[in-house]
Amino acid sequence: MSVEAIIESLSKHRGVRQIVLIDEELINVIKDEESQVVGALGMPIENEAMLECLSKEIKLCIYCDYSFEHPDDSIMFMKDGEGNIVGQDVAECKKSQFEEKEGLIWLSEDFVLYPNADMGSEVRMVMVSQRYHGFSEEDGVSEALLFFPATSTDCIIKSRYGYPQDPEVGTAIMGLSLM
């Protein structure tokens, strides 16, 4: 399947408003902006999701609304200096599983801390990619991954391609590997 056919197919998926093939110049802008993003209280962020998505053969920017595919697993982990998970986001579809666990500390309605975790001084947030389930092997796509960039990156991307700064529409970066 050609890139054009993939874009045409993806444009029919729920929540997709517009799709743009990302050029190398914008890839560098995205990497630069995302490298400056820090979490709450200045916590460093390792954006594994961005690196993985931008390493794929095809890189797309998808302008999408809230009806676009939601994560079905955690995509944000708080880790200590040794790589142990001390907290994580909770996907809506898995919330009931976490609510059944005793002793979790809910920092928000979708983020938990593990009570016995040793936070230490080297705590960081690690972002991992989300698998996109809208393609199959019949589409010629062996893997489709997503990451949702920081708000500042979202604004840069929208400005670059002349998309309105609409809070109801976000950007998702998709990396595709072809068969």
Side-chain angles (χ1 to χ4, degrees):
M1 183 177 268
S2 69
V3 174
E4 293 78 19
I6 289 170
I7 290 173
E8 183 180 333
S9 172
L10 183 58
S11 69
K12 297 173 185 166
H13 293 203
R14 185 181 72 239
V16 174
R17 300 282 185 93
Q18 184 177 339
I19 303 164
V20 178
L21 187 61
I22 300 174
D23 59 53
E24 286 301 317
E25 183 181 332
L26 185 58
I27 288 171
N28 292 329
V29 170
I30 291 169
K31 287 179 179 178
D32 183 55
E33 184 63 27
E34 290 288 316
S35 72
Q36 299 175 48
V37 175
V38 293
L41 305 172
M43 187 179 301
I45 295 178
E46 288 180 23
N47 199 332
E48 293 176 2
M50 176 197 65
L51 296 175
E52 190 174 20
C53 287
L54 295 180
S55 73
K56 299 299 180 191
E57 295 168 58
I58 298 170
K59 296 147 230 19
L60 302 173
C61 170
I62 304 168
Y63 297 108
C64 52
D65 63 31
Y66 193 72
S67 68
F68 187 65
E69 184 172 307
H70 292 254
D72 58 4
D73 211 346
S74 295
I75 58 172
M76 181 173 30
F77 294 91
M78 185 183 291
K79 293 186 176 184
D80 66 16
E82 295 177 15
N84 300 309
I85 298 172
V86 298
Q88 69 186 76
D89 70 319
V90 178
E92 185 65 36
C93 63
K94 295 199 175 175
K95 201 173 217 173
S96 64
Q97 295 171 16
F98 280 82
E99 289 171 339
E100 294 170 1
K101 295 180 181 181
E102 291 189 31
L104 294 176
I105 301 166
W106 289 85
L107 290 183
S108 67
E109 66 182 41
D110 64 352
F111 196 92
V112 297
L113 282 179
Y114 297 105
N116 298 326
D118 179 18
M119 297 292 270
S121 61
E122 298 179 32
V123 175
R124 66 199 185 282
M125 294 301 287
V126 178
M127 309 300 291
V128 298
S129 58
Q130 169 189 336
R131 294 212 176 285
Y132 182 68
H133 303 291
F135 289 115
S136 67
E137 290 183 8
E138 290 83 35
D139 297 311
V141 176
S142 62
E143 185 174 45
L145 301 175
L146 290 168
F147 92 93
F148 296 90
T151 303
S152 58
T153 309
D154 173 84
C155 289
I156 290 168
I157 294 169
K158 285 177 178 172
S159 293
R160 168 73 178 265
Y161 293 121
Y163 200 88
Q165 297 293 333
D166 180 352
E168 299 294 317
V169 176
T171 54
I173 305 298
M174 178 179 281
L176 297 163
S177 292
L178 303 178
M179 300 198 72

